[in-house]
Amino acid sequence: MAKPRDDRQKDLLRPALEEIIDLGHSLVRLAREIDWGFLDKRFAGVCAAGAGQPPLPTRLVAGLFILKHMHDLADEVLCARWLENPYYQFFCGELSFCHELPFDRSSMTHWRQRLGEEELVALLQESLSVAHKTGALATRDLERVVVDTTVQPKAIAHPTDARLCHRALEKLVDLAKRNEVQLRQSYRRVAKRAAIMVGRYIHAHQLKRARRALKFLRIRLGRVIRDIRRKIAGNEGLNERFATLLALAHRVRFQDHRQRGHKVYALHAPEVECIGKGKARAPYEFGCKVSIATPATKPKGGQFVLHAKALHGNPFDGHTLGPVIADLEKLTGVETSRIHVDKGYRGHNHKEKFRVWITGQARRVTRPIRREMKRRAAVEPVIGHLKAEHRMGRNYLKGRNGDRINAVLAAAGYNFSLLLRWLARLLRALIRALMPPSPQVQIG
């Protein structure tokens, strides 16, 4: 694939965007603070010179990712907003107002897969760089940090044995029909009825009947699995197409809630894990664990996210601290002097034991450190904003790569939203400083 090129020029028949927008708008000021050359160098590194149509301009791609997660927009909604919003177009590097999209919605999916987490971290890094240049974040704010973990839920239905068995049977029958594999019997009608009845019996606390209906469903799923295996035996092409789904269906049929180890909770997302967080309203969440790091101080521009990383395999929090701090120091270039964590990190693996302060710790706690330890809870509202406003509350991206990409983009979008507010505050302060004080009129 050829290198990305940006040969956009002003249209002589249309007014320039700079002539129809407010150049003091916070989004315009943010666009001028971002080092697009740095992002271009990182993003263009995944494209090799060669034949083919050149990819989209890297500033356009980076701007789309920032706008999407800054304003919590789906890809389709972002395309519609971009077409009608001149500020979005200016932010992405357009010179004249566009009446047609210069890209397709699927281009964002292709770029996400092409870049991956390793290159998209550049957006998070650039957000911290802009915050430092504009005075929203100081170097001392990077030395003392708070680290915590949360769950990034996946976009799946609540898993039950009956729903999984019924869904596996439906997917196998559909795949067999597409590949013209003639089944002896599909069992679709009776399987749907059995899945419905399992839910009704459990709701009525008729557990014996529910177990009987679930057994009926599992037997029919087993018959379909065996029938497909007999029909595709000896055909390498069909064996390869059915291998993944047959393996998942076999696991779904025999898995039990008492068994240890990883289970299948969604056929379209087998990487999903069940994570217990001890919450009364939601004892279990289905997705992956994400580590979030924020400053332990009070930065002028707000509580920025310094590091975000998806952690698969449901690891113990304490075993993630060492790698997370190493990645954080590599990202910011600043060595951390104090790390504040909750009691879930007891027994951590960070090499500098005396730099880690755990909630409730009494030894070696001085008055300044005690004040910082009270700031540990500042990471909780940050996690809430990431989930509610920046697309980390329900991840729609596919696979483990999608989990890692969504966590990084959500953190970058949150940081850029704080920068928008910070730049707007700076502009208001500048206007107040330049305007002469209004004379006071005395009455009487």
Side-chain angles (χ1 to χ4, degrees):
M1 181 177 290
K3 286 280 187 181
R5 65 180 182 184
D6 193 354
D7 53 358
R8 292 174 285 192
Q9 298 178 358
K10 288 186 178 180
D11 191 338
L12 297 178
L13 302 179
R14 296 176 184 173
L17 278 174
E18 293 184 350
E19 298 176 3
I20 62 176
I21 62 176
D22 177 15
L23 298 181
H25 192 275
S26 55
L27 202 57
V28 176
R29 299 184 65 199
L30 178 61
R32 289 176 172 170
E33 293 289 346
I34 294 175
D35 185 0
W36 298 106
F38 167 72
L39 296 178
D40 179 68
K41 191 181 300 183
R42 291 288 297 270
F43 283 20
V46 301
C47 301
Q53 182 180 2
L56 295 174
T58 51
R59 175 170 176 176
L60 174 61
V61 175
L64 289 173
F65 285 146
I66 293 171
L67 291 171
K68 172 184 172 66
H69 285 267
M70 188 163 54
H71 299 297
D72 189 13
L73 303 174
D75 289 351
E76 295 84 355
V77 179
L78 176 63
C79 293
R81 292 272 183 91
W82 191 93
L83 196 58
E84 64 189 19
N85 194 323
Y87 291 97
Y88 280 18
Q89 296 187 18
F90 180 86
F91 186 78
C92 294
E94 298 295 332
L95 302 175
S96 302
F97 188 79
C98 296
H99 296 276
E100 293 182 357
L101 282 173
F103 61 94
D104 190 70
R105 183 209 62 81
S106 60
S107 299
M108 298 190 64
T109 302
H110 298 325
W111 271 98
R112 273 192 296 260
Q113 295 172 350
R114 185 182 303 161
L115 292 168
E117 180 195 19
E118 295 79 11
E119 304 302 333
L120 288 172
V121 170
L123 292 176
L124 181 58
Q125 191 173 1
E126 181 60 22
S127 69
L128 299 177
S129 175
V130 174
H132 191 269
K133 283 192 298 184
T134 57
L137 189 68
T139 304
R140 63 182 179 85
D141 297 322
L142 306 175
E143 298 174 353
R144 290 164 286 180
V145 299
V146 176
V147 182
D148 198 8
T149 59
T150 186
V151 178
Q152 178 179 241
K154 198 79 167 184
I156 66 169
H158 185 77
T160 62
D161 291 336
R163 180 182 284 120
L164 287 171
C165 287
H166 179 232
R167 189 68 183 138
L169 187 144
E170 281 189 329
K171 280 182 169 288
L172 285 173
V173 172
D174 290 341
L175 185 60
K177 187 176 181 180
R178 287 198 302 271
N179 290 277
E180 299 181 354
V181 176
Q182 195 69 29
L183 298 179
R184 184 180 60 179
Q185 191 172 347
S186 68
Y187 301 105
R188 296 192 69 155
R189 182 178 58 82
V190 294
K192 181 178 179 181
R193 174 68 179 173
I196 293 172
M197 293 309 297
V198 170
R200 290 179 179 178
Y201 287 142
I202 291 177
H203 182 71
H205 299 285
Q206 298 178 1
L207 301 183
K208 287 187 178 180
R209 291 181 176 179
R211 284 193 292 268
R212 193 180 304 126
L214 180 59
K215 182 179 179 181
F216 176 90
L217 194 57
R218 282 177 168 159
I219 289 173
R220 269 60 189 177
L221 175 60
R223 289 181 183 178
V224 171
I225 292 173
R226 291 191 296 271
D227 194 13
I228 290 176
R229 284 176 174 169
R230 284 193 298 267
K231 298 291 175 59
I232 66 174
N235 190 325
E236 292 185 4
L238 289 178
N239 276 320
E240 186 176 350
R241 289 177 213 164
F242 279 88
T244 303
L245 188 54
L246 280 174
L248 288 174
H250 182 78
R251 289 175 59 187
V252 165
R253 186 194 171 201
F254 289 103
Q255 73 182 9
D256 184 74
H257 68 280
R258 298 184 188 88
Q259 76 181 40
R260 304 288 293 177
H262 182 65
K263 305 180 185 68
V264 178
Y265 298 104
L267 292 169
H268 70 279
E271 73 279 358
V272 168
E273 298 147 4
C274 179
I275 302 173
K277 297 294 288 184
K279 300 175 183 176
R281 58 177 178 82
Y284 300 98
E285 294 180 276
F286 299 93
C288 73
K289 189 173 285 190
V290 175
S291 174
I292 302 293
T294 63
T297 55
K298 295 182 180 179
K300 294 180 180 179
Q303 290 296 126
F304 289 89
V305 176
L306 306 179
H307 181 266
K309 187 176 183 64
L311 308 166
H312 292 97
N314 192 11
F316 168 59
D317 288 356
H319 294 166
T320 66
L321 188 60
V324 163
I325 295 300
D327 286 351
L328 171 62
E329 293 175 347
K330 181 180 178 182
L331 181 69
T332 60
V334 177
E335 186 178 7
T336 54
S337 58
R338 293 177 193 161
I339 305 160
H340 297 276
V341 295
D342 60 15
K343 293 183 180 180
Y345 283 84
R346 287 178 293 190
H348 60 83
N349 61 352
H350 192 262
K351 58 183 180 181
E352 298 290 344
K353 303 290 184 182
F354 294 106
R355 294 184 183 178
V356 181
W357 301 88
I358 302 174
T359 302
Q361 180 176 340
R363 285 187 175 183
R364 303 181 294 110
V365 177
T366 59
R367 185 172 297 176
I369 293 176
R370 186 176 292 109
R371 282 198 301 267
E372 283 186 9
M373 291 176 71
K374 291 181 180 179
R375 291 277 304 161
R376 192 216 63 83
V379 71
E380 303 297 344
V382 173
I383 293 173
H385 286 296
L386 286 171
K387 289 188 173 184
E389 302 163 11
H390 302 283
R391 302 189 69 78
M392 209 175 82
R394 192 168 177 84
N395 178 25
Y396 294 90
L397 304 185
K398 185 178 180 181
R400 293 193 168 189
N401 287 333
D403 294 337
R404 292 189 284 265
I405 289 170
N406 194 68
V408 172
L409 288 178
Y414 171 77
N415 285 353
F416 280 112
S417 67
L418 290 184
L419 286 171
L420 276 185
R421 284 171 26 194
W422 172 250
L423 293 174
R425 285 167 54 191
L426 285 182
L427 181 61
R428 288 195 297 268
L430 180 62
I431 292 173
R432 284 197 299 266
L434 295 177
M435 289 180 62
S438 57
Q440 297 181 356
V441 180
Q442 296 182 356
I443 301 176

